[in-house]
Amino acid sequence: MSNRKKWSFHIPLQPEFKMKTAYYIEKREFDQKRNKYYLYYQFKCDSISNSMMVIPDGCIDILFTCVPQAPYGKVCGSVLRSKEIQLNLFQGQNTLV
């Protein structure tokens, strides 16, 4: 049995969130103790379209809509193949993940 530590660099990735939103920022963190990457991002939807194509990245996304009139949360599980999801967002609102 080997004492070598197994490294499995799995990096969260959803490129369409970055490409189809008007405002997108992200922060990546690496937890060396657990050998895991964490990705925190936020974006603003300015388009009329409220759907996004997601790709399998082995991650669970938790979306929060930050509108005082209609706060909303959604857990999006990992998908096995590319899939279009509906965000049910209102134009101009901020979303934090």
Side-chain angles (χ1 to χ4, degrees):
M1 199 109 2
S2 174
N3 288 335
R4 286 183 3 179
K5 191 173 190 175
K6 289 186 178 180
W7 293 97
S8 59
F9 291 108
H10 178 79
I11 300 174
L13 177 68
Q14 288 301 333
E16 194 149 318
F17 284 178
K18 192 173 192 173
M19 293 185 308
K20 286 184 73 176
T21 58
Y23 174 77
Y24 178 95
I25 58 173
E26 69 181 28
K27 180 179 181 182
R28 291 182 187 268
E29 292 185 9
F30 180 68
D31 181 345
Q32 290 182 341
K33 184 178 179 182
R34 292 183 177 90
N35 193 33
K36 301 274 183 195
Y37 273 98
Y38 297 95
L39 174 64
Y40 304 94
Y41 56 91
Q42 72 180 38
F43 58 86
K44 187 171 186 176
C45 293
D46 279 344
S47 66
I48 295 173
S49 173
N50 64 353
S51 64
M52 297 272 183
M53 184 64 68
V54 294
I55 60 172
D57 67 352
C59 297
I60 296 173
D61 294 292
I62 305 170
L63 303 173
F64 299 97
T65 299
C66 303
V67 174
Q69 306 88 336
Y72 178 76
K74 181 176 187 172
V75 176
C76 300
S78 184
V79 295
L80 298 176
R81 60 180 171 227
S82 296
K83 175 182 173 181
E84 189 170 0
I85 62 166
Q86 297 298 316
L87 296 176
N88 299 326
L89 302 175
F90 298 103
Q91 185 174 353
Q93 71 188 28
N94 291 314
T95 300
L96 301 175
V97 179

